[in-house]
Amino acid sequence: MPILTPMCRPTNDRIRWLFLVALIHWFATAFSNAPADAARPNVVVFFVDDMGWFDSSTYGSAFYETPTLDRLASEGVTFRQAYAHPLCSPSRAALLSGQYPGARMSMIRAITGSCVANPTVPETQAPHQSTCWPGSADRMPMKTYTLAESLRDQGYQTWHLGKWHLCKGRPGQGLPDEQGFDKVIGVGGAGPTGGYFAPYSVPRFPQGTQGEYISERMALEACNLLERRETDKPFFMYYACFNVHAPYECKPDLLDYYEKKLQSMPMENTQRNPVMAAMLHAMDQSLKTLLDKLDSLGLAENTIVIFASDNGGVHFPMKGRSEIAKPFDGVPVTDNGPLRGGKCSWFEGGVRVPMVIRWPGHSGAGHSCETPVHLIDLYPTLLGITGSSPRPGQVLDGVDMSPLLTGETIPERPLYCHFPRTKTTVDQIPGGSFIRSGDYKLVRVYDYASDTSGRKLLFNLKDDLGETKNLAEELPEVVLSLEAQLDAWLAETNAMVPRPNPRYDPVSSPQRKRRVPSSESRP
């Protein structure tokens, strides 16, 4: 046995000192970043393209089947009055910025070749045009402090999969990895370039085996990210589906199933496109793959899953590119009834979308919420949940809606939309701006051919969900009150507002007469 010298023989004081050092080290290790990160929830945003409010069995469709979304709703909260922008690029900007894109970013259209970096409102137009319309931005501003950047700066792993469509696709304009995402799988534009079946042509998207369907590949790539994640850090997955945007292509077995189902559907059922039904079903299957992986890895209990769509369903006739879809050319892609209109429309069918949120242990199970919410609310909600705050001076138009997950309330506030474009997809009605306050929705239609102040439409959504009766003349005091709030909001956000064309000559170059909205004219 070795003999301890006085220099190394432990004393009571030395033992206590060594024990204290060991205890401090243990606390520092045990309660450092790992447990703090583990306590913070993971976030999955499952964002569908062109899925309408009524395009699921969850929301009441008798034709479409979405069993996984049904399951998610049974485990979380279904929002019956969730809003988005009428088009995909602006809605994606709304989600990732927490801001109204049409007003604050001048992002009015889906990003195409006609969009420009610095849009303006022309001073004049040709005499046959009654209105000077603003241009539309070709990107979400690079200066935007996105949700991904905020979560990344909190220590989150940030992953983008699928559709981006927030710039024209060139470096320096705002690609996903320039806007806060550490890993990027695909930077798709409007729809999947080259179609839904492998070989794929989507930039930065993994190749699949011949004939593989793209939603299956997306789900597999998401599962790979989960398996290879850094286990000591939370993650934010932005899963941006290509389904159900054009080109309209679906799996043959699912098409066969829905063709047979269609034969037994009553004719009064207005959703009658089996291609759309098959594409929705494939989307739902990919959601199942993702949820099952969260379960198998033991991640579900500490993961918020947010399901939403970017705008209303496409309600005009389908034109399929693939041979499998051609027999259904001319059949409406979907029907958004009882809502009026659809994608690219400020009617409820264009802006009201499905939204389901599941947060185990924190959200109700199987609950339904009628409080109006918006995609812009997701950013501040996730900041609140993760214990963070906006940057000093950062503008967030949304509010923290997390109290709604437990059946509490949030203060009533108006919701807005700025959608000034030459025409919408309903009755050739021009674009407009609206305010939703309580049960009322006031729309200012920029129809300067007949009225240089614009046309006013007032709907009571509680009594008239289909927006068939204009109450503007019956309730002028409501119009004045809501219009004042709308004007104040447009000024505060520095929105580009159309103006009457001083050169307009209705006598020599009359425009085609605009039809007044009516209950009979809903596509």
Side-chain angles (χ1 to χ4, degrees):
M1 180 176 178
I3 299 174
L4 297 177
T5 65
M7 290 293 295
C8 63
R9 185 178 296 120
T11 64
N12 289 338
D13 288 343
R14 184 174 179 80
I15 291 172
R16 284 193 292 269
W17 184 82
L18 290 171
F19 176 76
L20 180 61
V21 170
L23 188 63
I24 292 173
H25 176 75
W26 181 82
F27 269 101
T29 302
F31 296 98
S32 61
N33 288 337
D37 286 340
R40 288 185 294 170
N42 306 304
V43 179
V44 172
V45 174
F46 194 95
F47 206 44
V48 189
D49 197 357
D50 285 359
M51 180 182 180
W53 182 72
F54 198 57
D55 286 349
S56 65
S57 48
T58 311
Y59 278 76
S61 173
F63 185 42
Y64 305 141
E65 297 179 20
T66 51
T68 311
L69 183 58
D70 293 347
R71 168 197 159 189
L72 192 70
S74 72
E75 298 168 346
V77 179
T78 301
F79 291 85
R80 304 288 302 180
Q81 300 193 55
Y83 283 83
H85 193 86
L87 285 173
C88 50
S89 296
S91 281
R92 290 159 204 278
L95 190 158
L96 292 173
S97 70
Q99 298 180 355
Y100 286 111
R104 294 199 187 274
M105 301 179 188
S106 302
M107 187 180 288
I108 298 162
R109 299 175 177 270
I111 293 173
T112 64
S114 64
C115 299
V116 296
N118 299 296
T120 60
V121 184
E123 293 294 329
T124 63
Q125 288 284 19
H128 69 278
Q129 296 181 332
S130 66
T131 306
C132 297
W133 296 96
S136 185
D138 66 354
R139 68 198 71 177
M140 180 171 64
M142 286 287 290
K143 65 181 180 181
T144 304
Y145 186 56
T146 67
L147 175 60
E149 289 173 305
S150 177
L151 293 177
R152 182 196 61 192
D153 291 348
Q154 295 181 57
Y156 275 70
Q157 303 163 79
T158 54
W159 310 326
H160 164 77
L161 296 94
K163 176 168 176 170
W164 183 241
H165 211 196
L166 283 171
C167 66
K168 289 185 177 179
R170 291 189 289 273
Q173 291 190 345
L175 292 171
D177 43 6
E178 297 171 329
Q179 295 280 25
F181 289 98
D182 299 324
K183 295 182 180 179
V184 177
I185 298 176
V187 287
T193 307
Y196 278 82
F197 291 94
Y200 308 118
S201 302
V202 177
R204 296 169 67 176
F205 192 79
Q207 197 50 261
T209 58
Q210 181 74 32
E212 179 188 64
Y213 196 67
I214 201 167
S215 66
E216 297 171 340
R217 172 53 48 188
M218 279 269 291
L220 291 175
E221 293 299 327
C223 292
N224 289 337
L225 285 173
L226 293 173
E227 289 176 347
R228 299 170 185 172
R229 74 193 187 283
E230 297 178 56
T231 57
D232 61 340
K233 297 172 65 176
F235 60 82
F236 167 47
M237 176 186 290
Y238 175 47
Y239 189 109
C241 301
F242 292 107
N243 295 54
V244 288
H245 195 285
Y248 299 107
E249 297 177 335
C250 62
K251 299 175 66 177
D253 58 331
L254 289 174
L255 179 62
D256 182 63
Y257 172 81
Y258 282 103
E259 279 191 277
K260 292 177 180 176
K261 182 175 181 177
L262 184 61
Q263 295 173 7
S264 64
M265 297 296 297
M267 288 304 298
E268 56 265 26
N269 187 82
T270 53
Q271 292 177 329
R272 306 191 63 82
N273 193 321
V275 178
M276 176 64 168
M279 294 181 74
L280 284 165
H281 199 121
M283 174 279 299
D284 190 81
Q285 289 177 325
S286 67
L287 176 62
K288 181 181 187 302
T289 300
L290 179 58
L291 295 185
D292 287 349
K293 179 58 70 172
L294 291 173
D295 288 339
S296 67
L297 295 174
L299 296 170
E301 291 302 309
N302 194 37
T303 300
I304 302 170
V305 178
I306 300 170
F307 180 100
S309 177
D310 60 351
N311 47 248
V314 177
H315 58 299
F316 36 84
M318 185 179 78
K319 186 172 178 59
R321 183 178 67 183
S322 66
E323 290 301 317
I324 200 169
K326 282 190 180 299
F328 305 97
D329 278 4
V331 178
V333 177
T334 192
D335 187 275
N336 297 302
L339 307 182
R340 185 175 178 183
K343 178 179 180 177
C344 193
S345 163
W346 41 255
F347 285 114
E348 292 291 289
V351 294
R352 192 179 292 208
V353 296
M355 181 185 289
V356 177
I357 300 179
R358 184 189 75 179
W359 186 16
H362 300 271
S363 64
H367 291 187
S368 181
C369 180
E370 292 289 346
T371 302
V373 296
H374 198 286
L375 291 178
I376 59 173
D377 296 329
L378 296 178
Y379 193 147
T381 299
L382 292 172
L383 285 186
I385 288 172
T386 57
S388 185
S389 301
R391 276 181 166 180
Q394 182 181 1
V395 174
L396 291 175
D397 291 319
V399 301
D400 183 350
M401 65 182 196
S402 59
L404 299 175
L405 299 177
T406 56
E408 300 176 38
T409 61
I410 59 175
E412 188 172 309
R413 44 65 197 258
L415 295 177
Y416 298 94
C417 178
H418 186 51
F419 188 52
R421 52 178 289 150
T422 54
K423 62 183 179 181
T424 65
T425 55
V426 179
D427 301 335
Q428 302 297 307
I429 299 172
S433 303
F434 75 68
I435 174 174
R436 162 78 194 269
S437 181
D439 295 331
Y440 288 110
K441 175 179 175 181
L442 176 74
V443 186
R444 174 184 292 154
V445 185
Y446 297 109
D447 186 0
Y448 294 135
S450 56
D451 187 345
T452 56
S453 65
R455 185 152 33 108
K456 314 298 189 306
L457 304 176
L458 179 68
F459 303 109
N460 184 322
L461 296 178
K462 182 179 180 180
D463 300 333
D464 181 24
L465 186 58
E467 297 171 286
T468 62
K469 185 177 181 181
N470 181 10
L471 302 174
E473 293 186 3
E474 295 180 31
L475 301 172
E477 69 285 355
V478 176
V479 172
L480 288 174
S481 174
L482 293 182
E483 189 172 26
Q485 295 180 60
L486 180 61
D487 283 336
W489 175 75
L490 291 169
E492 187 270 323
T493 57
N494 199 28
M496 291 198 304
V497 177
R499 60 170 66 96
N501 179 16
R503 298 177 59 199
Y504 176 54
D505 184 358
V507 176
S508 61
S509 303
Q511 285 186 319
R512 182 173 58 181
K513 186 177 181 181
R514 306 286 190 184
R515 287 188 288 169
V516 177
S518 67
S519 58
E520 290 76 27
S521 57
R522 180 174 64 82

